[in-house]
Amino acid sequence: MEAPARAGYSKLLTRLLTQGELDEAYESWGRTPAGYVTDYVYVVVCFACAYYTICAHGISGVDPPSLFIAAVVVLGVSFFFGGTSHAILDAYYRQQKALGLHWTDKRSGWMYCWLPAVSLAPLGRSFLTAAALSLLQCPTYALITAVVLGILAMVLEYVVYLK
């Protein structure tokens, strides 16, 4: 008898996760050490860029260096949570345990790290866009618009993910 499909997931994914075919179920989840080590390398690069920019330019309001610092710090935090989530997924895989896909499922702890990872990424990218617009000497409203769109995307990620 086929397992009932969970809302939002394909029948194949539900079958793989409930019947224990772990290799296929975890295939595209970035659970390998190469995946999460890469996330942690991005964290180091982001914070190194922030440190260098602070040392070279300081923080002085809404200017390109300050917006760049905000972008790389937010993206660094996002990559940290993404890497942690991928490491948790790898731990579940190594234990040969099925993955939890809902907040109340067993082994759904990875979701608590994934939420800030996916929600902070648009905000970091919006700060990076604002930094580029600032370098182009665009008006202030363009910078504000970029950041507001990032905040809206962040809220949308929360809403979609928490459903």
Side-chain angles (χ1 to χ4, degrees), residues 43 73-83 113 116-121:
V43 171
V73 166
V74 171
L75 288 172
V77 172
S78 174
F79 280 117
F80 172 78
F81 281 110
C113 291
V118 298
S119 60
L120 289 175

Side-chain angles (χ1 to χ4, degrees), residues 28-136:
S28 63
W29 292 80
R31 60 125 198 112
T32 63
Y36 56 84
V37 168
T38 301
D39 287 336
Y40 292 138
V41 168
Y42 287 151
V43 171
V44 171
V45 169
C46 285
F47 285 109
C49 288
Y51 176 76
Y52 172 77
T53 307
I54 289 170
C55 290
H57 301 283
I59 299 175
S60 59
V62 182
D63 60 349
S66 298
L67 291 167
F68 178 75
I69 292 165
V72 295
V73 166
V74 171
L75 288 172
V77 172
S78 174
F79 280 117
F80 172 78
F81 281 110
T84 303
S85 181
H86 289 136
I88 292 169
L89 288 172
D90 191 42
Y92 294 158
Y93 177 78
R94 290 175 190 273
Q95 295 169 4
Q96 295 293 301
K97 302 289 184 176
L99 177 64
L101 295 176
H102 296 280
W103 295 102
T104 56
D105 290 347
K106 289 183 179 180
R107 292 172 297 284
S108 63
W110 67 276
M111 294 173 66
Y112 294 95
C113 291
W114 192 244
L115 178 60
V118 298
S119 60
L120 289 175
L123 182 62
R125 291 183 186 110
S126 72
F127 279 127
L128 203 54
T129 302
L133 292 173
S134 180
L135 282 171
L136 294 172

